[in-house]
Amino acid sequence: METLFKLKERNTSVGTELLAGITTFFTMVYIVIVNPGILSQAGMDFHGVFVATVLASIIGTLIMGLASNYPIAIAPGMGLNAYFAFSVVAGEGLSWQTALGAVFVAGVLFILLSLTSFRYMLLDAIPSSLKHAITVGIGLFITFIGLQNSKMIVASPSTLLTIGDLSAPMTLLTIIGLVITLILMSYRVKGYLFIGMIITAIIAYFMGLMEMPEQIVALPSGLGATAMQMDIGGVFTHGLYAVIFTFLLITLFDTTGTMLGVAEQAGLVKDGKFPRSRGALLADAIGTTAGAALGTSPTSAYIESSAGVAVGGRTGLTAVAVSALLGLTLFFSPVVSVLASIPAITAPSLIIVGFLMISVVSKIDWSDFDVVFPAFLIIVLMPLTYSIATGIGVGFIAYPILKAVRGKWRDVHPIFYLFAVLFFIQLAFFGH
């Protein structure tokens, strides 16, 4: 174990690493409830997505731990799952099989990029402010979905949207659950999202809004309904190039940013360099590809891994511990199914995760008009058009145009012009 994880070199121990793994697990386990709940709204089998979520997370996290020796967990990303269900499937009227095909193609491209230096060129081509704007826009989109699912915001014939009936039992329970989770968050309780879900579930039971499952433990089932169902041919028939690019782009820079942040917190970044970055990126790329084959949306490195690092996690043993605990959740699908079926239990997590993503708005350079207006378009159009790809596309088209008009066309990376042309073709000729 010492040879594999270099515990002494990183000044840690088996006990510390296992504690870190437990901490990370409880901060990110909410995803096994929220992800199948979101994707089932796209018509996918809940139990199949649940098993696929867990297995894809285990695959990516194990590779991260064993191949790269980093204490970082991998799981289906929040925002990407919402984009999959509400933009690609519901918004564009596509089948979930075709959407899975797009994820699979993006995963394969991610693997190829992870093996080359082109991944750095791709990341460097995009200004930091636009990267942050994408995160902010996705945060608003997720929050919007959480508010809609809980009926805190409802459709209105006169104003399109309006506030819902806050006295309705499910909406009231959402507010209660949100307040409880925010209190836990304010006191920095580890695993506050998951603990908030459990407390909300208990309240839902006593309010008569939830029935206990007939059994607590059951053998994993349902994977056959989602595994190997991706329609790759449909991806190219419908010309989903912007969808593929969106999945790839968000996964690539979200994962890279998260990995750098967590590795720096753990003191593993040396002289500004991220050692074994290829293996770390491959962990997510393989997780995304395997997840598509199993039946779930793209995976991403989880910032919640920082909670494990905070209690001493420094090696891949932390990731291995997370994988083992994720494996145990496979046998609790009856409980997960009940929890995910109550909007008031999952909506607070969507709202709070959206808030956390929106917080990076402070990192946008608001003094640079050439960049900030495209960033503004990305932020507002994602929730207003109900499409992450449309927001990115319009912003990516506006950026080089503004630069060119102001005589700064040389400031734009050549590959960015290619992005703009591809998004223009997608939006103009292949729909939104």
Side-chain angles (χ1 to χ4, degrees), residues 65-336:
L66 297 176
S68 296
N69 199 23
Y70 281 116
I72 300 174
I74 301 288
M78 291 292 291
L80 287 166
N81 51 11
Y83 174 57
F84 180 105
F86 302 111
S87 292
V88 181
V89 177
E92 300 192 20
L94 299 169
S95 69
W96 58 264
Q97 291 90 341
T98 302
L100 280 180
V103 175
F104 184 81
V105 173
V108 172
L109 291 175
F110 193 7
I111 290 175
L112 296 175
L113 284 175
S114 299
L115 296 172
T116 68
S117 59
F118 186 72
R119 64 185 183 275
Y120 297 115
M121 184 188 301
L122 192 64
L123 290 169
D124 292 341
I126 305 169
S128 296
S129 290
L130 293 189
K131 294 176 186 175
H132 297 318
I134 291 171
T135 302
V136 174
I138 293 173
L140 281 173
F141 187 45
I142 292 175
T143 298
F144 186 36
I145 291 169
L147 293 171
Q148 280 189 311
N149 287 352
S150 63
K151 298 295 190 293
M152 292 175 70
I153 288 179
V154 296
S156 168
S158 57
T159 60
L160 295 182
L161 293 172
T162 188
I163 193 167
D165 181 4
L166 301 185
S167 64
M170 192 63 71
T171 307
L172 179 61
L173 179 59
T174 301
I175 296 171
I176 294 171
L178 180 59
V179 170
I180 290 171
T181 308
L182 287 173
I183 291 172
L184 293 170
M185 182 181 177
S186 67
Y187 281 97
R188 299 184 179 180
V189 176
K190 291 182 174 63
Y192 59 89
L193 288 176
F194 180 67
I195 296 172
M197 283 181 172
I198 299 303
I199 296 174
T200 306
I202 294 171
I203 297 173
Y205 175 77
F206 286 106
M207 288 178 65
L209 297 175
M210 186 186 80
E211 296 182 0
M212 292 296 292
E214 295 180 359
Q215 53 185 359
I216 303 298
V217 179
L219 290 174
S221 63
L223 187 61
T226 59
M228 302 306 294
Q229 298 295 313
M230 62 272 193
D231 177 15
I232 298 175
V235 174
F236 300 101
T237 300
H238 293 283
L240 302 183
Y241 307 110
V243 173
I244 294 171
F245 180 72
T246 300
F247 279 136
L248 176 62
L249 182 67
I250 297 172
T251 304
L252 181 60
F253 75 70
D254 185 43
T255 291
T256 303
T258 299
M259 287 179 182
L260 281 170
V262 175
E264 187 170 12
Q265 179 190 359
L268 302 176
V269 175
K270 306 298 182 183
D271 301 322
K273 296 181 179 180
F274 185 37
R276 300 178 306 284
S277 61
R278 177 175 295 180
L281 286 172
L282 272 174
D284 189 24
I286 294 173
T288 292
T289 309
L294 293 167
T296 187
S297 50
T299 60
S300 180
Y302 261 55
I303 193 62
E304 284 84 352
S305 303
S306 60
V309 170
V311 298
R314 294 293 181 272
T315 76
L317 183 56
T318 293
V320 172
V322 172
S323 297
L325 292 170
L326 283 169
L328 292 177
T329 65
L330 282 172
F331 301 95
F332 293 90
S333 61
V335 177
V336 172

